[in-house]
Amino acid sequence: NLLRYWSFSLFFIVSELWASAGVPLLFWQCANDVTPMAQAKRFYPLFAVTGNLAPIFSGKIMSYVISLQKTNDDVGFGSTLKILAVIKATVCLGIIAIYRHVYTMAEERDRKERTEQSQRTIRGIERSGKVEITMKFEKPKQKLTLKQSAKELMASKELKAMALMVFCYNVCVELTEVLWKAILRKKYPTKSSYMAYMARFSQTVGLVAFLLQLVATEIINVFGWRWTAMIPPVFMGVLAIAFFAAIIAGEDKIPLAQVLLIGTVQNVANKVTKYSLFDPCKEMAYIPLGPEAKTKGKAAVDVLGARLGRSMGSATQQLLVFLVGGANGSILNCAPYIGACYVSAVVVWSNAVSVLGKLFDTTDNTPKVDNTQKLERIGEAITIIKSIEDAKREKKKNAKTDGK
């Protein structure tokens, strides 16, 4: 079926790649390139605020396009998909234009900073008569293959912890999302009703994420990196346990609508905590590691971690359906076992956060190195050397004069 409907398969494969590589890798690498560490806590949550408006607008647009659909058959649904595809293409062109503009502004800012630094150096020389030299050597950036990126990941304890965070998050999302969508399809069997519910879900995610993002900066400043990064696994885990318990109880005790509501709240928490807290904290964790770790490890963490996490979650569910899914192979029969896997992933995720938290504790407690005295000594040394050379030249000149 995947080959038979290859165009649909290719579309959803590219969509999944965009979700795992487009936003986490390309956007946040761009943010890392143009944002200094001193401004990260202030601006990184704000970057996500604008992104959190997207689900609100996309949900509204989707609801409007669905309202224009005249029939509920495949023809009407196909026309809806065509309109949405045109809108997506337009947005992609806008992304390209904004990306080029951002890097143009960053390059202009760097040029101004270099000019101002040169002017300050010249004024310092004119004032003190000393020459202060600061030399900075940078290795040329190398484009690594995915295999080399994976090796870099395994060589760094911090990168491995980040990869575990991304891996476990995606495992958790996959384990609950499939169950939730199975219940959603059962409640809303038609394509139009299903899409309409997803449009409302998207709007809810965007609104809640936007409100949470407004206070995310304060949360990071008050609780610090470690405890802020611990909020997503704890919050998601508590709601997931309630969701799994409702499924296990059965429809005779808990109506399907209530189970769907609990699952919807849990999936909203999955998205909201990722956009507002998980992503900013993860990207902040790259900054103290230096440029090599950012370049060599980011692709492995964001792409490999996300894809392997999704794949592991899917493989786990397929295996459980085969083993304990029953005669009809229902994923709902596997809820107790999926819940146990979910809790295990949350435990590993929390441990990875603790490992990275030590890195931030060390960074915050490390005293700042003041290089002013070193630079002054270098300037004095250069001045002394220059004086010695002048004295030698003067001595030679006097010796020649005496000889004559």
Side-chain angles (χ1 to χ4, degrees):
N1 288 335
L2 290 176
L3 294 176
R4 181 179 178 184
Y5 301 103
W6 64 270
S7 59
F8 296 100
S9 302
L10 182 61
F11 174 78
F12 281 101
I13 288 172
V14 173
S15 299
E16 285 292 323
L17 289 175
W18 171 253
S20 61
V23 176
L25 181 61
L26 300 179
F27 170 76
W28 285 110
Q29 187 165 356
C30 173
N32 289 342
D33 289 341
V34 301
T35 308
M37 178 61 181
Q39 299 177 353
K41 288 186 178 180
R42 179 184 176 189
F43 286 107
Y44 271 44
L46 295 179
F47 288 157
V49 168
T50 305
N52 290 333
L53 295 175
I56 301 176
F57 284 101
S58 63
K60 288 288 185 182
I61 293 171
M62 191 181 298
S63 298
Y64 176 73
V65 173
I66 294 172
S67 67
L68 299 178
Q69 186 174 322
K70 297 180 180 179
T71 60
N72 290 327
D73 56 6
D74 291 341
V75 176
F77 185 71
S79 63
T80 300
L81 291 181
K82 290 178 182 178
I83 296 173
L84 294 175
V86 172
I87 295 173
K88 287 182 178 181
T90 305
V91 172
C92 288
L93 293 176
I95 291 173
I96 295 172
I98 294 172
Y99 179 82
R100 291 175 62 87
H101 182 60
V102 166
Y103 268 100
T104 300
M105 291 191 298
E107 291 172 358
E108 181 65 25
R109 181 197 63 190
D110 292 340
R111 281 196 296 269
K112 288 182 179 179
E113 289 179 353
R114 288 194 297 267
T115 302
E116 291 175 358
Q117 185 177 5
S118 300
Q119 291 175 350
R120 285 195 299 267
T121 302
I122 293 172
R123 287 195 294 267
I125 294 172
E126 292 174 349
R127 249 189 337 264
S128 62
K130 298 178 181 180
V131 181
E132 296 183 359
I133 301 175
T134 303
M135 292 181 291
K136 184 178 180 181
F137 298 96
E138 293 185 355
K139 295 181 180 180
K141 293 184 177 180
Q142 299 178 351
K143 293 183 178 180
L144 303 179
T145 64
L146 198 58
K147 182 179 179 180
Q148 291 173 325
S149 298
K151 288 182 179 179
E152 289 291 331
L153 186 151
M154 297 305 297
S156 171
K157 181 174 68 174
E158 290 80 11
L159 288 177
K160 282 192 289 186
M162 272 187 268
L164 281 175
M165 284 176 57
V166 176
F167 175 81
C168 292
Y169 169 80
N170 284 277
V171 168
C172 291
V173 170
E174 188 70 20
L175 291 179
T176 53
E177 195 173 66
V178 173
L179 275 172
W180 173 64
K181 287 184 177 180
I183 297 172
L184 181 58
R185 289 191 191 95
K186 194 173 181 181
K187 181 67 177 177
Y188 297 98
T190 64
K191 297 177 182 178
S192 298
S193 61
Y194 181 90
M195 184 177 284
Y197 189 91
M198 291 301 296
R200 295 193 297 271
F201 172 77
S202 178
Q203 294 176 59
T204 304
V205 168
L207 180 61
V208 177
F210 177 77
L211 296 176
L212 179 60
Q213 198 66 61
L214 294 177
V215 297
T217 303
E218 291 300 322
I219 292 175
I220 295 175
N221 289 332
V222 172
F223 294 101
W225 188 93
R226 180 200 294 263
W227 297 110
T228 303
M230 197 68 76
I231 292 175
V234 173
F235 197 58
M236 288 169 55
V238 170
L239 291 175
I241 291 173
F243 179 50
F244 289 123
I247 296 174
I248 295 170
E251 293 185 34
D252 54 338
K253 294 182 179 180
I254 301 179
L256 185 64
Q258 293 184 11
V259 177
L260 179 61
L261 177 61
I262 297 172
T264 301
V265 172
Q266 201 280 330
N267 277 270
V268 168
N270 289 351
K271 307 290 185 182
V272 167
T273 55
K274 180 181 188 299
Y275 300 151
S276 303
L277 300 175
F278 180 82
D279 282 345
C281 286
K282 175 175 67 70
E283 297 306 321
M284 286 173 61
Y286 283 108
I287 299 178
L289 299 181
E292 286 192 4
K294 294 178 192 176
T295 304
K296 296 179 181 179
K298 188 171 177 59
V301 170
D302 290 342
V303 179
L304 279 180
R307 288 301 89 209
L308 287 177
R310 289 280 186 167
S311 300
M312 179 62 70
S314 299
T316 301
Q317 291 176 97
Q318 291 176 15
L319 181 62
L320 289 174
V321 168
F322 178 75
L323 295 176
V324 296
N328 57 351
S330 175
I331 187 69
L332 299 177
N333 296 333
C334 308
Y337 308 97
I338 295 176
C341 296
Y342 191 101
V343 172
S344 301
V346 168
V347 171
V348 176
W349 181 359
S350 302
N351 182 66
V353 171
S354 299
V355 172
L356 280 175
K358 296 177 182 178
L359 171 66
F360 271 81
D361 293 341
T362 303
T363 303
D364 293 337
N365 295 329
T366 301
K368 295 182 178 179
V369 179
D370 187 4
N371 292 323
T372 304
Q373 293 183 353
K374 291 183 178 180
L375 294 176
E376 289 178 353
R377 290 174 183 174
I378 293 174
E380 292 174 358
I382 293 174
T383 304
I384 293 171
I385 294 171
K386 185 177 179 182
S387 301
I388 293 172
E389 294 295 329
D390 291 340
K392 288 181 179 180
R393 283 194 295 268
E394 186 68 24
K395 186 176 180 180
K396 290 180 179 180
K397 184 177 180 181
N398 293 334
K400 290 181 180 179
T401 304
D402 294 340
K404 291 179 180 179

